[in-house]
Amino acid sequence: MDAKKFVQLFGEILARKSNVRETVMLSQLADRLLAADTARVKAATATLKADFYHLPESLTVLLKLLVSEESLSLRQLAATQARSLVPKHWKSLPDEQKPRIRQHILQKTLDEEQQLVRHGAARVITAIAKIDLSDGQWPDLFDTLVQAAASQTPRHREVGTYILFTTIEALEEDMTAKIPQLLNLFGKTINDPQSAEVKINSMLALSRLAILLDAEEDEASLKIIQDLIPHMVAVLKAAVDAGDEDRTTQCFEVFQTLLGCDSAVLNKHFKDLLQFMTNIAADTETEEDSRTQALSFLMQCVRFKKLKMQGLRVGEQLTLKCLEIVTEIGDADEDDEEVTTARSALALIDVLSESLPPSQVVVPLLQNLGPYVNSPDPDRRKAGMLALGTCVEGAPDFINTQLDEIFPLVLRLFQDPEDKVRRAALDTIMRLAEDLAEPLGKQHKKLIPALVKHLDIAMKQLAGPDDTKNMDTIKACCNAIDALVDGLESDVLAGYLPELVPRMKRLITHPDFKIKAAAIGALGAIAASAGEAFGPYFEQIMNALSAFVQIKDGEDELDLRCSTCDAMGAMALAVGAKPFQQYVRPLMEATEEGLHLDHPKLRETSFLFWGNMAKVYKAEFKPFLEGVVKAIFESLESEESDLDVELGEEAADLVGKEVTIGGRKVKVSAISDDDLAAADEIEDLDGMGDDDDDSDWADLQAVTAVAQEKEIAVEVVGDIVTHLTRDYLPYIEKTIEIVLPMIEHSYEGVRRGAIGTLYRLYAAVWGLQPDEMQKWKPGLPLQQKPTDEVVKLGEIIATATLAGWGEEEDRGIVTEINRNLAATLKITGPSLISNPANLTPLSQTLLLILNKKHTCQLDMGPLDTASPPDDLDPGVIESSEYDWLVIDTALDVVVALSHVLGPTFAEFYKMVEKSILRFASSSESYERSTAVGVLAECIRGMDASVTPSTASLFKILMHRLNDEAAEVKSNAVFAIGLLIQKSKDEREVGRHFNTVLAKLEPLLGQDEARLKDNAAGCVGRMVMSYQDKVPLGAVLPALVSVLPLEEDFEENVAVWGCLVRLYSAGEPTILGLTPKLLPILEQVLGPPEEQLDEETREQVVQLVKFVHGKQAQLVRKYPGLMGVVNE
């Protein structure tokens, strides 16, 4: 009957149109449209679109079908198809027909029993209303819908509330004037006594009204919405308790939407809402899908309302609840990507550790870890390990401070009798190694043998390709070794090569591609860290790997080719140019071939390999440069036009909007004609739409690969520019043309890479100037102007990057600009900021960051002004480690400015002094340490112009001289020495001089945190600046007793500068200490050469010759010194 009706109605069009196909085709189309086959449905709708849907009459036919008595499937099909045709053809229909059509559709929808058809018809009504209301038509629609929503008939209320929701969604700002009336209505319908659907529709509508609400201008409406939040929570609770998965999901989506609204909407009940969601997540009797959605909401709260969450201090409770939830993970594989409550809890711990200060997340987790890791229940021991490992990435600096306590615990559980506990401990070792390779590497004597032992056991027990347990252990051990060796000194790692390399070589022959790849990755890391020590193994490993770079098909196979090329690049860096020479041309050909094998990751691998070759061979890489640059430019210039993605009615709230997926701006379009039929006909009726959805998302994954490829490509440009600067000159102009616009790319990875490359380009070109032009002098205006080309390039880069610096929302991008600006200033001096137009945004942005008011440091959405936690000055609350990184790198810029501006920096210092002093008084030791170190560098840069700030600096530095943290105290000693040396405020210096001297005496005997070296440097500066105030007879023997300096060689400048000056003056005490100083002099003039800079070394050499001229017999006892004398 459906097919007959379809043919009859569309046959009316055929009767009037002679340029379409035969009637028999209609019957075939009808059969295809109503078939449960995605391909047939799409083919049929494509035909309709081409041959019928361009005709206005097609809309009339579909509307007739919609209001007919035909089957559910045909009416649903008509609704979805008509909705897309209304914008095209509604205005073309005769005006005299429209009132009847409107009335008929509305009435039929109100009486429709099937929800799917009701919702489809409601969308058609909304599409018509959007056109009519803007033209002054259908004036009674709103009142009719309000009346229906308040009807005594539940179905009418369901339809009325749903159409009101879709109308608010479609008309947006045009509905603002009706907000009070609608709030009054939905305030009643949210408590509908008979229909859960009415409640859900009311929630959906309220969420759209919350988006439209101007909280500051309409306080009355704001209060109503706030008061309705508990009622909305009650609807969610009822859906959860009833186990209604669909309605539960809709409710959660509403609360996700509210998170993005004005913060005042949720403020009043935010803490209670957090508690409610936490209770759902922790309730083991609740459906898992509801629990995971509650955890997802909490994650979004942390992301959107970080400062609010921090102010409410809920981090500890959430962390401990998550820790308990993780115990439910059982025997699940850590690598399994299935979304479960336990994995969602781990994901929340990850977000919490990244976003909140350690005191609210990592500290309580560590404090409560004991009962888990010491429990007789292996699931609890496993949970403790997984939770610990998960929080490492978010707070590595704090974890590092606790590593002495953490490591024995992890190592013990790595020997646990339960395999799943050992596997969790191995996962934690890998995470620790990834973020703390160097400090963890100090435990190599215990850790590497343990890893090798477990690797051997798994290799021995491996039963075949289905033995996933042992295969996973092998991969994890390889990955842990891969990460760990990065923190080992080459001489230390050399001792383990006989243990590690043969095992990895054996695993290269394993049939599983992922095991091969893990072993090859580990070999690359081992080579990179071992350096020349890898030489004896180099050729045999290269021969073993050579076949893998010839692979040309298969996803896993090509992934293996990627791993192989990456490892070979690392080996080239390890062994150097000459041993690797024979492999260069074949591998360059192989990597060029890899660009054309339709494997995005292989393209990235080719670029990375070329970057490594540029590092190894520098100018010798020139023969390949033209082809390399051409390929990279093609990648960077590849088309990235906006992509319309059709995701169906589930994404209706995104229609017409741009979202960023994997680095590409994607426009979500209204669902197309063919996909509407496919989605509604198949997914809604038969649940067979999954394959279609997977295809859509696969397309988006390809978009992700394009952006990631560009990220790698632009970074490799920076590598090539740095190492082949002169040969790269012909490509400079084109590079700027391509890369400069990429700093505004939608994907943050591309923006970050572009920024880094532009600054590297400037530094590289700067280095090509004549030597005399590179010797910049601090201060503005410039005393040594660069070449015109360098000035122009600097202005282009500085203007482009600084323009968006203050408004950038991504913390990583702001950090990248900070790092690059600081590093480049230190190399190239003040020329980069010599344009006065750049100084204002630079200073303003730095102040925003230091005061924690930069866009990237604030909660997403409007600022909260109603709740006490958000009234706190952001500058005085703790920072997460990621947040601190933004500030830390901004302080690096401040230090760089002090160096390049010199005495003229004093004016800028006045602007930032308060912020830096606040950090110097922080409750966090790492903030105090950094800030005091910055003060020291500022003093050094300002030189005598620091004088007006002497009193305020002494006040904070003397306080920090008594700090409980050794690192803070050490930096304070360094800063005080510089302040005494640079300041001309003799009165203020004199007030503190003896106190400082007295405090230095015990510090000369302390080895931690460079205290001894910094104290020695401070003494040297005090003697040079105020020799008459120092009791040399007591001080000099103490100073000489701690020499030579072993950690902070920079302080040798002050120490030996002081001693040389005293010798020149014939100071009796130092002359009497000559026998003790001679062996010290031999040591400082020996290896390592970096003990002394060039100027200080020359002073010390002259000192040795001076002493030899006076006491030759003493000097002859030291062959090293005689070598200096005889030079």
Side-chain angles (χ1 to χ4, degrees):
M1 181 167 179
D2 289 336
K4 290 181 180 178
K5 187 68 175 179
F6 181 89
V7 172
Q8 174 191 341
L9 292 174
F10 272 93
E12 297 175 9
I13 299 179
L14 278 175
R16 297 188 297 274
K17 305 290 179 181
S18 59
N19 61 339
V20 294
R21 301 184 183 184
E22 299 296 332
T23 305
V24 65
M25 179 61 74
L26 286 174
S27 179
Q28 296 173 356
L29 287 176
D31 290 337
R32 292 173 186 170
L33 283 167
L34 301 175
D37 185 301
T38 304
R40 296 179 67 192
V41 171
K42 284 197 169 187
T45 50
T47 300
L48 284 171
K49 186 174 183 179
D51 293 344
F52 290 91
Y53 285 169
H54 65 285
L55 303 171
E57 292 88 345
S58 62
L59 176 59
T60 305
V61 170
L62 291 170
L63 293 177
K64 285 182 179 180
L65 287 172
L66 176 58
V67 299
S68 70
E69 298 300 326
E70 298 301 322
S71 69
L72 166 66
S73 58
L74 187 59
R75 284 183 287 125
Q76 185 181 343
L77 172 66
T80 55
Q81 301 288 291
R83 176 185 168 192
S84 64
L85 294 183
V86 167
K88 302 176 184 176
H89 299 317
W90 177 252
K91 286 191 174 184
S92 302
L93 298 186
D95 289 339
E96 62 273 12
Q97 295 181 12
K98 290 180 180 178
R100 183 173 59 83
I101 293 174
R102 296 183 192 113
Q103 181 58 34
H104 200 179
I105 293 177
L106 184 56
Q107 188 58 51
K108 192 70 176 177
T109 304
L110 287 171
D111 295 333
E112 176 61 57
E113 294 183 2
Q114 296 296 328
Q115 185 189 64
L116 288 174
V117 178
R118 284 203 306 269
H119 285 187
R123 295 285 181 181
V124 174
I125 292 170
T126 299
I128 294 172
K130 188 171 184 178
I131 297 171
D132 282 356
L133 293 176
S134 64
D135 293 338
Q137 302 295 313
W138 212 351
D140 60 340
L141 174 63
F142 182 76
D143 291 338
T144 302
L145 294 176
V146 170
Q147 184 178 354
S151 168
Q152 295 299 311
T153 304
R155 188 176 303 149
H156 289 181
R157 297 198 300 275
E158 291 167 357
V159 174
T161 51
Y162 189 78
I163 299 177
L164 281 171
F165 155 61
T166 58
T167 303
I168 297 167
E169 183 181 48
L171 298 184
E172 296 181 326
E173 263 57 359
D174 292 339
M175 297 294 287
T176 303
K178 300 186 183 297
I179 287 178
Q181 184 180 354
L182 288 168
L183 287 176
N184 181 58
L185 171 68
F186 293 127
K188 298 173 183 175
T189 57
I190 191 73
N191 297 308
D192 192 286
Q194 295 173 289
S195 172
E197 185 178 340
V198 173
K199 296 178 182 180
I200 296 294
N201 293 343
S202 301
M203 283 188 69
L204 292 169
L206 285 167
S207 70
R208 308 313 298 185
L209 292 176
I211 293 173
L212 298 175
L213 179 68
D214 186 332
E216 293 184 0
E217 297 294 328
D218 191 354
E219 293 185 3
S221 295
L222 171 63
K223 185 178 186 306
I224 293 174
I225 290 183
Q226 289 175 330
D227 290 343
L228 288 175
I229 296 298
H231 299 273
M232 298 168 77
V233 170
V235 176
L236 170 57
K237 185 177 187 304
V240 170
D241 290 345
D244 190 328
E245 184 176 332
D246 291 339
R247 289 188 173 125
T248 296
T249 298
Q250 285 180 301
C251 290
F252 275 115
E253 288 174 351
V254 165
F255 282 107
Q256 295 273 14
T257 299
L258 294 177
L259 276 178
C261 297
D262 191 298
S263 56
V265 171
L266 287 179
N267 263 352
K268 184 177 179 181
H269 301 286
F270 189 66
K271 187 172 184 179
D272 293 336
L273 184 60
L274 291 176
Q275 186 62 58
F276 173 73
M277 294 293 184
T278 304
N279 291 343
I280 292 178
D283 186 0
T284 56
E285 300 298 319
T286 298
E287 293 288 337
E288 181 163 68
D289 188 61
S290 297
R291 298 176 70 197
T292 58
Q293 290 190 77
L295 288 165
S296 176
F297 175 82
L298 292 169
M299 281 184 249
Q300 292 300 95
C301 287
V302 179
R303 292 190 177 105
F304 277 80
K305 306 293 181 186
K306 179 177 61 179
L307 295 179
K308 181 76 173 177
M309 299 281 283
Q310 187 171 338
L312 292 172
R313 303 194 68 81
V314 294
E316 178 173 350
Q317 180 194 8
L318 291 175
T319 300
L320 298 184
K321 287 288 186 183
C322 286
L323 179 56
E324 184 61 29
I325 293 170
V326 176
T327 62
E328 301 172 32
I329 201 166
D331 295 331
D333 186 351
E334 284 75 21
D335 295 330
D336 193 338
E337 296 182 358
E338 180 186 356
V339 176
T340 64
T341 307
R343 287 196 178 86
S344 295
L346 285 171
L348 179 52
I349 291 175
D350 185 25
V351 174
L352 287 166
S353 65
E354 174 187 332
S355 304
L356 299 183
S359 63
Q360 293 194 22
V361 181
V362 186
V363 170
L365 187 144
L366 294 178
Q367 289 174 340
N368 290 272
L369 204 58
Y372 289 85
V373 296
N374 296 317
S375 170
D377 182 353
D379 287 336
R380 299 185 76 78
R381 299 198 299 277
K382 177 180 179 179
M385 276 293 94
L386 291 177
L388 174 60
T390 298
C391 70
V392 172
E393 185 180 7
D397 290 341
F398 180 80
I399 292 291
N400 187 27
T401 67
Q402 308 300 308
L403 201 54
D404 288 344
E405 287 73 33
I406 290 173
F407 178 73
L409 173 65
V410 176
L411 196 62
R412 173 169 64 83
L413 291 186
F414 194 31
Q415 314 298 329
D416 196 275
E418 289 286 340
D419 177 74
K420 59 185 174 183
V421 179
R422 295 196 303 273
R423 182 67 177 81
L426 178 55
D427 181 74
T428 300
I429 289 170
M430 185 168 60
R431 290 172 181 264
L432 287 167
E434 286 172 349
D435 288 286
L436 298 168
E438 189 172 336
L440 191 67
K442 295 176 182 177
Q443 304 290 341
H444 61 86
K445 291 182 179 179
K446 295 179 180 178
L447 199 47
I448 290 184
L451 287 169
V452 169
K453 174 185 173 182
H454 282 75
L455 179 62
D456 286 346
I457 292 172
M459 291 171 67
K460 184 177 181 180
Q461 294 179 348
L462 188 61
D466 296 327
D467 186 358
T468 57
K469 182 182 76 171
N470 282 307
M471 289 176 67
D472 288 344
T473 299
I474 291 171
K475 287 183 288 185
C477 285
C478 290
N479 292 334
I481 291 168
D482 185 332
L484 179 65
V485 296
D486 187 49
L488 299 184
E489 295 293 336
S490 58
D491 58 335
V492 173
L493 181 56
Y496 293 108
L497 293 182
E499 294 285 317
L500 297 176
V501 175
R503 287 173 169 81
M504 296 302 121
K505 184 182 177 184
R506 178 181 167 191
L507 289 173
I508 292 173
T509 64
H510 192 279
D512 183 82
F513 286 106
K514 288 185 171 57
I515 286 181
K516 288 178 187 284
I520 291 170
L523 280 170
I526 289 168
S529 295
E532 294 180 359
F534 189 74
Y537 305 94
F538 169 65
E539 192 167 341
Q540 59 174 292
I541 296 300
M542 287 294 293
N543 291 336
L545 297 179
S546 59
F548 300 142
V549 298
Q550 305 300 323
I551 296 172
K552 293 180 174 58
D553 49 36
E555 191 69 23
D556 289 341
E557 290 87 343
L558 289 175
D559 283 343
L560 181 63
R561 178 169 173 163
C562 292
S563 299
T564 303
C565 290
D566 288 341
M568 286 180 168
M571 291 175 195
L573 292 171
V575 301
K578 188 174 181 179
F580 200 81
Q581 184 65 52
Q582 62 178 309
Y583 304 102
V584 175
R585 185 164 293 279
L587 287 174
M588 288 300 296
E589 292 172 356
T591 50
E592 196 280 332
E593 177 189 58
L595 299 178
H596 311 292
L597 294 179
D598 194 26
H599 190 278
K601 188 177 178 183
L602 196 53
R603 293 176 61 84
E604 296 173 23
T605 293
S606 296
F607 297 152
L608 289 169
F609 181 81
W610 297 345
N612 283 333
M613 291 301 97
K615 295 173 186 176
V616 173
Y617 290 97
K618 298 179 174 60
E620 294 178 35
F621 190 65
K622 183 180 179 181
F624 302 101
L625 188 58
E626 182 178 357
V628 164
V629 172
K630 180 176 181 291
I632 291 177
F633 280 2
E634 286 176 357
S635 171
L636 296 178
E637 292 184 299
S638 60
E639 186 64 32
E640 279 195 280
S641 58
D642 287 345
L643 177 68
D644 282 347
V645 182
E646 298 161 351
L647 297 179
E649 293 199 33
E650 296 87 345
D653 59 328
L654 295 178
V655 169
K657 299 179 181 178
E658 284 187 344
V659 296
T660 300
I661 303 177
R664 182 93 164 259
K665 279 188 177 178
V666 175
K667 185 176 182 180
V668 181
S669 69
I671 191 167
S672 66
D673 302 337
D674 53 350
D675 283 341
L676 273 170
D680 285 337
E681 186 68 28
I682 295 177
E683 183 178 350
D684 290 341
L685 295 180
D686 301 311
M688 297 173 60
D690 291 344
D691 292 340
D692 201 40
D693 290 342
D694 290 344
S695 175
D696 285 338
W697 287 107
D699 290 340
L700 295 184
Q701 186 60 39
V703 175
T704 302
V706 172
Q708 290 176 335
E709 179 187 316
K710 289 192 174 187
E711 176 185 6
I712 298 300
V714 75
E715 289 175 352
V716 170
V717 170
D719 290 334
I720 296 173
V721 167
T722 298
H723 296 284
L724 286 93
T725 308
R726 195 171 298 280
D727 295 316
Y728 195 84
L729 285 177
Y731 310 103
I732 293 287
E733 186 174 347
K734 182 68 172 176
T735 299
I736 295 171
E737 177 187 329
I738 294 174
V739 175
L740 199 62
M742 297 179 77
I743 63 176
E744 296 181 354
H745 195 279
S746 58
Y747 175 43
E748 64 275 8
V750 173
R751 297 204 303 278
R752 185 167 53 246
I755 289 165
T757 291
L758 287 171
Y759 276 100
R760 292 176 74 177
L761 179 63
Y762 178 75
V765 173
W766 168 277
L768 293 180
Q769 297 179 111
D771 289 345
E772 64 272 10
M773 300 191 78
Q774 294 185 49
K775 295 177 181 178
W776 56 268
K777 296 180 180 179
L780 290 176
L782 295 177
Q783 299 180 53
Q784 176 65 60
K785 189 176 180 181
T787 63
D788 292 341
E789 293 79 5
V790 171
V791 170
K792 182 179 179 181
L793 179 61
E795 288 183 356
I796 291 172
I797 293 173
T799 301
T801 55
L802 298 183
W805 187 27
E807 299 177 359
E808 174 62 57
E809 295 181 358
D810 187 271
R811 285 179 298 179
I813 301 298
V814 175
T815 299
E816 186 70 12
I817 294 175
N818 294 348
R819 283 174 172 156
N820 281 281
L821 182 57
T824 307
L825 284 172
K826 290 177 181 178
I827 295 171
T828 65
S831 62
L832 191 61
I833 56 169
S834 59
N835 186 342
N838 290 328
L839 287 176
T840 300
L842 187 150
S843 58
Q844 290 175 342
T845 302
L846 282 176
L847 280 173
L848 286 173
I849 296 173
L850 298 181
N851 291 324
K852 300 185 182 179
K853 294 181 179 179
H854 189 280
T855 304
C856 75
Q857 296 167 300
L858 302 176
D859 282 347
M860 298 181 187
L863 282 176
D864 179 7
T865 57
S867 178
D870 289 327
D871 285 338
L872 291 174
D873 180 355
V876 302
I877 60 177
E878 294 178 84
S879 301
S880 71
E881 290 191 15
Y882 276 147
D883 288 331
W884 175 248
L885 195 57
V886 179
I887 298 167
D888 191 24
T889 52
L891 289 170
D892 287 341
V893 178
V894 173
V895 169
L897 288 172
S898 73
H899 290 178
V900 303
L901 295 179
T904 61
F905 176 74
E907 289 301 313
F908 185 87
Y909 175 75
K910 293 177 183 177
M911 299 170 57
V912 298
E913 180 182 33
K914 182 178 178 182
S915 300
I916 299 174
L917 293 181
R918 184 174 62 242
F919 290 124
S921 300
S922 167
S923 60
E924 295 291 340
S925 61
Y926 63 85
E927 294 188 6
R928 299 196 305 274
S929 173
T930 301
V932 173
V934 170
L935 289 174
E937 295 298 336
C938 289
I939 294 167
R940 193 203 316 245
M942 286 187 283
D943 202 64
S945 66
V946 74
T947 301
S949 303
T950 303
S952 61
L953 286 167
F954 259 123
K955 181 179 180 181
I956 186 67
L957 294 176
M958 294 301 291
H959 189 52
R960 295 279 73 92
L961 199 55
N962 297 312
D963 201 282
E964 60 185 17
E967 186 72 32
V968 180
K969 192 183 301 184
S970 180
N971 285 348
V973 171
F974 175 56
I976 288 172
L978 286 169
L979 185 58
I980 290 173
Q981 182 183 34
K982 303 294 186 182
S983 176
K984 301 304 179 185
D985 189 344
E986 296 184 9
R987 180 175 177 276
E988 190 65 27
V989 170
R991 289 182 58 232
H992 301 282
F993 197 89
N994 290 334
T995 304
V996 171
L997 202 57
K999 288 182 177 293
L1000 288 177
E1001 183 180 2
L1003 299 182
L1004 286 169
Q1006 296 187 25
D1007 289 328
E1008 60 178 331
R1010 309 175 320 284
L1011 265 169
K1012 179 176 66 177
D1013 293 12
N1014 281 339
C1018 185
V1019 168
R1021 293 184 177 93
M1022 295 176 75
V1023 171
M1024 285 191 288
S1025 303
Y1026 296 93
Q1027 182 177 331
D1028 59 323
K1029 294 180 179 294
V1030 180
L1032 296 177
V1035 169
L1036 291 179
L1039 175 61
V1040 171
S1041 70
V1042 303
L1043 300 180
L1045 303 184
E1046 297 176 348
E1047 292 185 90
D1048 195 342
F1049 294 146
E1050 184 182 351
E1051 292 303 88
N1052 274 324
V1053 175
V1055 170
W1056 290 104
C1058 163
L1059 297 181
V1060 168
R1061 179 181 296 186
L1062 292 174
Y1063 264 103
S1064 299
E1067 201 282 321
T1069 306
I1070 198 64
L1071 293 175
L1073 291 169
T1074 298
K1076 292 185 176 180
L1077 274 170
L1078 289 176
I1080 297 170
L1081 283 165
E1082 187 175 44
Q1083 286 180 270
V1084 298
L1085 287 171
E1089 290 189 7
E1090 58 266 25
Q1091 289 183 88
L1092 303 173
D1093 63 24
E1094 187 174 336
E1095 183 179 348
T1096 306
R1097 177 175 293 275
E1098 181 58 29
Q1099 289 179 336
V1100 173
V1101 167
Q1102 293 304 317
L1103 174 60
V1104 170
K1105 292 180 178 180
F1106 171 81
V1107 174
H1108 179 264
K1110 300 291 184 180
Q1111 302 181 59
Q1113 71 282 6
L1114 289 177
V1115 177
R1116 289 194 191 101
K1117 296 178 181 179
Y1118 302 97
L1121 295 183
M1122 287 306 298
V1124 170
V1125 171
N1126 295 326
E1127 284 181 353

